[in-house]
Amino acid sequence: MFLSDICDPKRLPRKHQSELIEEEQQESGEPVIGRRPPIVDSIDFLYIDEEYLAVNKPADVRMDGDFDVTVTKLVYRKLESEKGTTRKPRFVHRLDYATSGVLIAGLMDQSASYLAKLFRERLVEKFYLALVHGWTPCKKFVMEERIANHPVDGFMMTVSADRGKSAKTECVPLSFGIYGDHYLVTKVLLKPFTGRRHQLRVHMKYRGFPIVGDATYGVDSVYGPDDVRTPPRMMLHAWKLKVLRGGGEELWIEAPDPFESCFMELANVV
């Protein structure tokens, strides 16, 4: 099945209903679409010292809020059980609900404030891995379409030359392949230079390469949670992050690549 086979607007999710859990969809009266969230009871620590903590956020887990499972609750529980501390780290950036990968937090007020300053001044380098529909150009390309709030749906973002704010994303194709028996896909490395909401997802959708499993901007989460065509997650992962410590030392954090064996690779680009 190719991208054109599933792009009928009548089959696309209404608004962002497919990002709601099944019970929320039933309460809303909408048909159950998208996927079921995973059962998560732990979180991996990627790095920890006296100042910083980095974790590997699972996909389809919220950062915080009044839910049974959140990133902050998982982290607090692990810190207390494994490290014997009740310190509450302060996360200074976020990942979308459906995105997995590196999150960094300050373990002290001073280190958290320092990290927040680095993110605010765009001094943190971030690298993402994604699986996208279609085969992209073979060479690196840059997307600079301006991004604005969607004019109708308050959850979504959209490309808008007149209303949008500046946004820049670099895309490097890594390999071409097939996902399941259904779609041509490209594994790509994405580097955002700005931090607009849903930036990577919007840029890739606008260029004709929506991220596999993206229930809001994609085209493959309309079948229902028990359909084999429904991807188990959104294929977007915060892979690496680089920050400069106070003394100028580089701190690289990496979360293992979750897409190494989830598609049939046909050709490497790099």
Side-chain angles (χ1 to χ4, degrees):
M1 183 180 293
F2 294 88
L3 188 60
S4 59
D5 297 324
I6 52 176
C7 280
D8 181 353
K10 294 179 181 177
R11 301 176 67 187
L12 298 182
R14 302 178 196 172
K15 296 189 177 182
H16 55 282
Q17 287 294 317
S18 51
E19 290 205 343
L20 302 178
I21 62 174
E22 187 174 351
E23 291 79 4
E24 290 172 324
Q25 291 186 43
Q26 291 171 340
E27 290 174 3
S28 72
E30 297 285 350
V32 176
I33 54 180
R35 58 187 177 269
R36 290 191 177 92
I39 298 173
V40 177
D41 58 7
S42 65
I43 193 166
D44 291 334
F45 285 2
L46 301 172
Y47 178 85
I48 187 168
D49 62 17
E50 290 300 313
E51 296 182 294
Y52 305 111
L53 168 68
V55 304
N56 187 5
K57 176 190 174 294
D60 293 342
V61 172
R62 292 172 172 86
M63 288 291 299
D64 47 33
D66 187 20
F67 303 98
D68 292 338
V69 178
T70 66
V71 170
T72 53
K73 287 178 180 177
L74 291 171
V75 168
Y76 294 168
R77 188 168 67 215
K78 185 164 184 173
L79 279 173
E80 185 173 2
S81 64
E82 295 189 6
K83 304 298 181 181
T85 177
T86 57
R87 283 196 296 178
K88 290 182 167 40
R90 176 181 154 199
F91 288 98
V92 298
H93 68 124
R94 305 176 70 86
L95 293 175
D96 292 342
Y97 164 77
T99 304
S100 61
V102 179
L103 280 170
I104 191 168
L107 288 174
M108 301 186 300
D109 289 343
Q110 183 178 1
S111 58
S113 297
Y114 173 72
L115 283 175
K117 181 175 183 292
L118 292 181
F119 276 94
R120 187 168 58 249
E121 297 179 357
R122 298 179 183 173
L123 297 176
V124 177
E125 291 192 56
K126 296 172 283 186
F127 302 88
Y128 291 74
L129 295 173
L131 208 62
V132 302
H133 284 284
W135 286 357
T136 69
C138 292
K139 295 183 178 180
K140 175 180 71 176
F141 58 96
V142 176
M143 299 166 281
E144 296 187 272
E145 290 82 7
R146 301 174 74 86
I147 293 177
N149 292 324
H150 194 281
V152 177
D153 189 325
F155 178 79
M156 297 178 68
M157 306 296 286
T158 188
V159 166
S160 176
D162 55 342
R163 296 186 301 106
K165 295 181 179 179
S166 61
K168 181 179 178 180
T169 304
E170 182 178 273
C171 179
V172 180
L174 302 176
S175 60
F176 301 118
I178 298 174
Y179 179 74
D181 297 325
H182 311 300
Y183 316 126
L184 301 178
V185 293
T186 307
K187 186 178 181 180
V188 297
L189 175 67
L190 300 172
K191 181 180 180 182
F193 291 87
T194 51
R196 305 303 173 202
R197 186 166 183 257
H198 297 176
Q199 176 177 316
L200 305 181
R201 300 161 68 182
V202 171
H203 270 165
M204 295 310 295
K205 168 69 178 299
Y206 184 77
R207 290 298 184 100
F209 308 107
I211 294 172
V212 174
D214 188 337
T216 298
Y217 302 98
V219 292
D220 55 10
S221 296
V222 298
Y223 304 109
D226 298 315
D227 196 296
V228 295
R229 295 168 294 179
T230 300
R233 56 160 294 177
M234 182 172 74
M235 305 298 183
L236 179 62
H237 177 69
W239 181 41
K240 289 186 179 182
L241 181 148
K242 185 189 82 171
V243 299
L244 290 176
R245 302 182 73 113
E249 173 192 358
E250 291 184 355
L251 175 61
W252 282 91
I253 310 294
E254 178 179 339
D257 175 5
F259 309 139
E260 285 186 338
S261 59
C262 73
F263 72 108
M264 183 171 67
E265 189 175 81
L266 300 179
N268 286 312
V269 183
V270 294

